[in-house]
Amino acid sequence: EIVLTQSPATLSLSPGERATLSCRASQSVRTYLAWYQQKPGQAPRLLIYDASNRATGIPARFSGSGSGTDFTLTISSLEPEDFAVYYCQQRSDWFTFGQGTRLEIK
Amino acid sequence: EVQLVESGGGLVKPGGSLRLSCAASAFTFANAWMHWVRQAPGKGLEWVGRIKSETDGGTTDYSAPVKGRFTISRDASKNTLSLQMNSLKTEDTAVYYCATEIAGWFDSWGQGTLVTVSS
């Protein structure tokens, strides 16, 4: 099973700042990686797929990069609605998720 | 807009059974690959299983923790996805989401239904 490790577990930032979230895979997943956002009491929402492609309706401030085992989700300038939990997911070998990064207001 | 509505959750004793449903609308359900994903209280996301579209054979795949206990099925006439859960364990306690798949990604999600396994 491919294990995805996200860091940091919690990220404390202020609106307007830049957020950088990491996801590391236990073996190469090529670019078969996605990012999801989940707010309290809501279902996850697909943000990024194939490592760097924004899903429909996702603002341009969200961007993804990486390949192989190391991936990054960047939010260029945080809006109040961006504070949530973010998960990465791979589909190279079945489907697994990272444990999540909580992005909280500083 | 794609709509997925789960139902059937509740409290069940260890060893018991429960059947979840997911009503789908606003897309061609028969052509969709569908998944169940769960989330234990306060925890992360865990893939449960999937069923391919009928045109792709309608075959199923499951994660190791649920294989042999859970069964996914679909009814195209009712646009409904089902998850039959048998031999339930306390560790199956979670919110269960149904989701559509687009090229391996979970594109649309329902709001989830809570399953609690406790004596």
Side-chain angles (χ1 to χ4, degrees):
Chain A
E1 174 181 306
I2 295 178
V3 176
L4 299 178
T5 302
Q6 293 186 238
S7 61
T10 302
L11 184 58
S12 300
L13 294 170
S14 300
E17 290 193 293
R18 182 184 187 90
T20 303
L21 288 66
S22 295
C23 177
R24 175 164 289 179
S26 59
Q27 63 190 77
S28 175
V29 298
R30 291 172 282 180
T31 57
Y32 296 143
L33 191 106
W35 292 92
Y36 297 82
Q37 176 192 68
Q38 187 178 33
K39 297 179 180 180
Q42 296 185 17
R45 176 175 70 147
L46 178 64
L47 298 176
I48 301 287
Y49 64 94
D50 290 343
S52 60
N53 296 301
R54 275 190 302 277
T56 303
I58 302 304
R61 64 181 181 274
F62 291 91
S63 63
S65 63
S67 66
T69 61
D70 291 296
F71 299 86
T72 301
L73 173 69
T74 302
I75 310 171
S76 59
S77 179
L78 285 165
E79 297 288 340
E81 62 267 27
D82 298 337
F83 293 91
V85 179
Y86 292 83
Y87 294 95
C88 56
Q89 175 238 326
Q90 65 82 23
R91 70 167 185 88
S92 177
D93 179 24
W94 295 107
F95 309 94
T96 54
F97 292 88
Q99 83 281 13
T101 289
R102 180 178 304 277
L103 178 56
E104 64 177 26
I105 299 176
K106 188 173 182 180
Chain B
E1 182 182 343
V2 169
Q3 190 163 22
L4 300 168
V5 180
E6 301 94 338
S7 61
L11 176 63
V12 61
K13 289 182 168 53
S17 298
L18 205 60
R19 187 178 184 88
L20 306 183
S21 296
C22 170
S25 60
F27 66 102
T28 306
F29 178 73
N31 294 343
W33 291 30
M34 299 295 299
H35 294 251
W36 289 96
V37 176
R38 67 185 180 182
Q39 186 169 36
K43 302 297 184 183
L45 301 165
E46 178 186 20
W47 177 70
V48 171
R50 78 165 172 204
I51 186 166
K52 295 182 180 179
S53 65
E54 294 188 10
T55 53
D56 288 315
T59 55
T60 53
D61 297 286
Y62 301 94
S63 64
V66 309
K67 196 169 185 178
R69 299 188 299 124
F70 289 12
T71 302
I72 298 173
S73 60
R74 62 193 303 157
D75 184 339
S77 68
K78 297 180 181 178
N79 280 4
T80 299
L81 175 73
S82 297
L83 178 65
Q84 177 66 42
M85 303 185 294
N86 298 330
S87 304
L88 282 161
K89 305 175 182 181
T90 55
E91 53 264 40
D92 294 319
T93 294
V95 173
Y96 285 74
Y97 296 101
C98 61
T100 59
E101 178 194 323
I102 301 292
W105 311 120
F106 305 119
D107 187 52
S108 297
W109 299 64
Q111 85 290 349
T113 188
L114 176 62
V115 172
T116 302
V117 184
S118 175
S119 55

